[in-house]
Every structure is written in C-alpha cells, then in structure tokens.
Amino acid sequence: MQIEFPHKTLGLSDPCVMGVLNVTPDSFSDGGRFNRVDAALRQAEKMVEEGAAFIDVGGESTRPGAAVVSELEELNRVCPVVEAICRELDVIVSLDTSTPAVMREGVGLGAGMINDVRALEREGAVSVAAEVGVPICLMHMRGTPQTMQDDPRYVDPVEDVKKYLLERVDELRAAGVPKEKLVIDPGFGFGKTLEHNLRLLDRIADFVALGFPVLAGISRKSMLGAITGREVGERLSASLSAAALAVYNGAHIVRAHDVAATVDAIKVAAAVRRSRSE
Ligand code: 7PJ
C-alpha cells in the first residue's frame, strides 16, 4: 500500500502518524499574527521531531455544534501557517478543509494533501481537488457538524459507511483522480453513537479490504470520554489504546494530537500485526 504524492511516493508498510495542528482562535493565544503563526510552526516542528509523517492544518472547528467559519476567515487562519511549515519543515502538510479556495491556495503554498471531513461534497470541491492533483482523504460524516449527533441511525454502520465512501471514490475517479491518490476514513465521532464508533473500530479491516489506505482519527474524541469518564485533556491513555487497536486492525495512518506517544503505541501494534503474517 502506498500514496502517490507529486514528488514522492509514501510507502505505508509501516503505519504513520498525522499530527493535528488546529489553527482556530481558541487553539493559540491571541498574541497577534506573528505570534500565532510562530506558535503553530513550533508546534508543527515538535510533532515532526516526534515522528509525524503529516501535519494536518485545520482552521475550521468541526466539533459538534461548532460555529461556521467564513471562507476568508479560514484562508486567513490557514494560509500563513501552511506557508511557514512548507518553508521551514520537511513534512507533508495536509489541509483539513472542505473549502475549495483553501484547497487551491494551500496547495499553491506547498501543502501535499487534502483531508476533507465532508469528502469533497461542498460545491466546487471535487473539481478543485482534481485540478490541484494532490492525494485526498475522503472521510464519512452523517449530517453536518451542527446536527450530526442528533440521533444518527444506520442500517449497518460498517456497510453504510463503506457504501458512502465507495460512492465518493467513484465520483472522484470520474473527475479524473487516480485511485493511488485516495485515502478513506470512516470518520469516528462524525454522526455516530458510541456503539457505531466501536463497531467501526473493531471492523477497520473491512475498510482496509476495499484496497485504499485507511486513516483513523480517534485521538481525544468524546467516544473515549464516554468509555473512560475522562475530560478531553485526560484522554491520552485511551487515545493510545484506540490508536493501537486501529493499527492492529490494519489502519495505515493515525491522526493524533500526542505524536511521540502515538508513534510508540502504533509501533507495538504494527509489530504484533506483522508477526501474524510471518
Ligand atoms: C478527523 C479529521 C478524523 C479526518 C477531525 C477532532 C475533530 N479528519 N478532522 N478524520 N477529525 N480525516 O479531531 O476531534 O477523524 S476534527
């Protein structure tokens, strides 16, 4: 399994970590633009030193019930940070965005991947993503961040999510995006109950069997709070446990806030997984 980037191929025989870099106003102290960009760059640098293969830069909070961000605001948050990281660090920057203008500008500044929690369903997103030519992660969400946790229902969560992702894959391929540029993600916590999330985590192998790299984002999510009773800042152990299970079940990329610890956790999971086929 591999992903084709414009200037390199990323092998995925060893699972890797995508470090989360939120550039929403509440994520860095508001000490002016230079300080904000500098703080984000230092955080990215730390994650690269800790072993992150990707830095996922996002300027729109997709927490349940979060406010909608304008295109201009998102561009202003994301672009200076993408520009700084691409200039200073040797890492693949992924754009956690659904906004076509952010995709176009971000790739122009050097970003190497699009990571869209709306799987390019926003108007114009498919054509811009196809045009800019970088790999794309398609994530499943039921509903919108504003409504997604209002009683989500599935006939069968694994089959329903797989079907949706394959439909999105078909649309992207019809727009000219090669298979080697697509990554899929069941979207933990996006329009799912705890039971749905647990089933998806247990059945990650079903997504791996579709033949695309699989990304899993579970770090600090509320499903872990529901299981452990812990607040968001106290979910490291739970996050590592979930990351290890995802990799043990075949996930290729784990999206995480705590990069160093996650790198170690998934090394253990990957080693056990490998011993199975040896
Ligand atoms: C995910 C994401 C995820 C992908 C967020 C949070 C919410 N992108 N962006 N997968 N989650 N691909 O980190 O709690 O699970 S934002």
Side-chain angles (χ1 to χ4, degrees):
M1 194 69 74
Q2 57 190 41
I3 312 177
E4 294 293 338
F5 289 92
H7 300 294
K8 69 171 167 184
T9 299
L10 180 73
L12 293 171
S13 52
D14 293 322
C16 59
V17 173
M18 171 181 277
V20 179
L21 187 63
N22 287 320
V23 290
T24 48
D26 43 20
S27 43
F28 289 104
S29 64
D30 204 24
R33 181 177 146 137
F34 174 76
N35 283 336
R36 277 201 309 277
V37 174
D38 195 51
L41 180 59
R42 277 186 279 110
Q43 174 68 13
E45 190 170 19
K46 176 169 181 279
M47 293 195 285
V48 172
E49 282 164 6
E50 291 177 351
F54 301 85
I55 301 293
D56 193 38
V57 180
E60 179 213 14
S61 172
T62 47
R63 293 245 164 76
V68 176
V69 179
S70 74
E71 177 181 300
L72 187 61
E73 176 65 22
E74 197 187 341
L75 283 165
N76 286 337
R77 289 178 187 177
V78 170
C79 290
V81 173
V82 170
E83 200 256 311
I85 298 173
C86 293
R87 189 184 58 228
E88 301 287 337
L89 303 175
D90 182 20
V91 67
I92 301 161
V93 171
S94 74
L95 300 163
D96 190 352
T97 188
S98 302
T99 308
V102 175
M103 298 172 188
R104 183 178 275 122
E105 291 294 315
V107 173
L109 293 167
M113 184 165 177
I114 292 167
N115 170 32
D116 186 1
V117 298
R118 295 178 183 81
L120 303 177
E121 289 213 53
R122 258 197 200 154
E123 198 176 336
V126 168
S127 57
V128 169
E131 175 194 317
V132 297
V134 297
I136 301 159
C137 179
L138 299 169
M139 196 199 81
H140 173 273
M141 165 159 51
R142 169 66 56 87
T144 68
Q146 287 69 41
T147 62
M148 65 189 180
Q149 291 310 108
D150 302 345
D151 193 25
R153 287 168 192 252
Y154 297 86
V155 176
D156 176 326
V158 175
E159 291 307 315
D160 294 4
V161 172
K162 269 168 55 181
K163 179 164 176 282
Y164 170 83
L165 290 173
L166 288 175
E167 283 166 11
R168 300 308 298 151
V169 164
D170 284 346
E171 178 162 350
L172 269 287
R173 296 194 66 183
V177 178
K179 184 176 183 294
E180 294 69 30
K181 291 203 165 150
L182 295 174
V183 174
I184 58 173
D185 179 345
F188 291 98
F190 285 86
K192 282 123 187 149
T193 64
L194 175 59
E195 287 66 33
H196 298 145
N197 287 313
L198 294 175
R199 177 79 70 80
L200 291 165
L201 180 53
D202 186 45
R203 297 275 297 276
I204 283 197
D206 290 33
F207 293 89
V208 176
L210 298 177
F212 297 90
V214 171
L215 188 152
I218 317 176
S219 181
R220 300 184 185 175
K221 282 189 177 171
S222 66
M223 62 182 278
L224 304 175
I227 297 168
T228 61
R230 295 197 185 274
E231 292 305 320
V232 61
E234 303 296 322
R235 295 178 188 157
L236 174 59
S237 305
S239 300
L240 298 177
S241 172
L245 287 163
V247 166
Y248 182 68
N249 284 331
H252 303 90
I253 306 170
V254 170
R255 185 178 176 278
H257 301 83
D258 303 284
V259 172
T262 307
V263 166
D264 278 3
I266 69 171
K267 275 185 185 163
V268 175
V272 178
R273 182 179 168 82
R274 256 195 308 275
S275 79
R276 213 197 269 171
S277 48
E278 273 166 9

